[in-house]
């Protein structure tokens, strides 16, 4: 007899908990969204110089950007391989970029990985 009472009590508790979850889900009017934070693309054209100075360590190509008022230049590591017409050591280029939150490629100890777009010769 005790086992029937315990079984009925458990069933009622489960039925009550399921019903309240459905009601809460049905009455919820606030949509659930997930926010993805990315750094916005840098506006305007940026000017830099293609460099192979780290090629000996295994870092293929970097783009060095001189920033006004800064002592050290910004070194960008392109995510994608640059076209052969652009990948010339010392060539000045204009481009837009967006820094990426990803590990540096093997051999690149200096610089920030970045996605370069709208690349053209200066």
């Amino acid at each position: 007899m005790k086992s029937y009472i315990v079984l009925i009590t458990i069933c009622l508790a489960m039925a009550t908990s399921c019903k309240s979850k459905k009601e809460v889900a049905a009455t919820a009017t606030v949509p659930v969204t997930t926010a993805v934070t990315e750094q916005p693309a840098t506006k305007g054209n940026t000017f830099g110089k293609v460099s192979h100075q780290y090629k000996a360590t295994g870092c293929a190509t970097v783009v060095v950007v001189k920033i006004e008022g800064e002592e050290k230049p910004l070194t960008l590591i392109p995510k994608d391989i640059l076209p052969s017409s652009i990948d010339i050591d010392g060539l000045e280029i204009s481009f837009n970029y967006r820094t990426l939150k990803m590990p540096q490629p093997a051999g690149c100890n200096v610089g920030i990985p970045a996605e370069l777009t709208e690349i053209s010769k200066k």
Side-chain angles (χ1 to χ4, degrees):
M1 185 71 173
K2 278 187 171 181
S3 61
Y4 288 122
I5 294 174
V6 171
L7 183 63
I8 292 172
T9 305
I10 292 174
C11 289
L12 286 174
M14 289 177 60
T16 306
S17 67
C18 291
K19 184 177 179 184
S20 64
K21 285 183 183 178
K22 287 180 183 176
E23 287 176 7
V24 170
T27 60
T29 59
V30 178
V32 178
T33 60
T34 57
V36 177
T37 57
E38 286 188 19
Q39 295 181 349
T42 304
K43 304 259 186 211
N45 284 334
T46 306
F47 298 100
K49 192 178 280 192
V50 176
S51 176
H52 296 155
Q53 68 187 31
Y54 300 110
K55 203 165 198 159
T57 63
C59 190
T61 303
V62 297
V63 178
V64 180
V65 179
K66 295 241 181 197
I67 301 173
E68 290 184 33
E70 291 292 322
E71 192 173 304
K72 293 184 178 181
L74 175 64
T75 304
L76 299 174
I77 305 167
K79 179 186 82 153
D80 300 319
I81 297 172
L82 295 177
S84 59
S85 62
I86 301 289
D87 193 4
I88 301 169
D89 192 29
L91 180 68
E92 291 188 11
I93 59 173
S94 66
F95 58 94
N96 290 328
Y97 73 95
R98 181 174 60 98
T99 58
L100 303 172
K101 294 181 180 182
M102 61 182 277
Q104 294 174 325
C108 295
N109 298 325
V110 176
I112 302 169
E115 178 182 24
L116 304 181
T117 58
E118 299 178 24
I119 305 169
S120 62
K121 295 179 183 180
K122 185 175 175 185

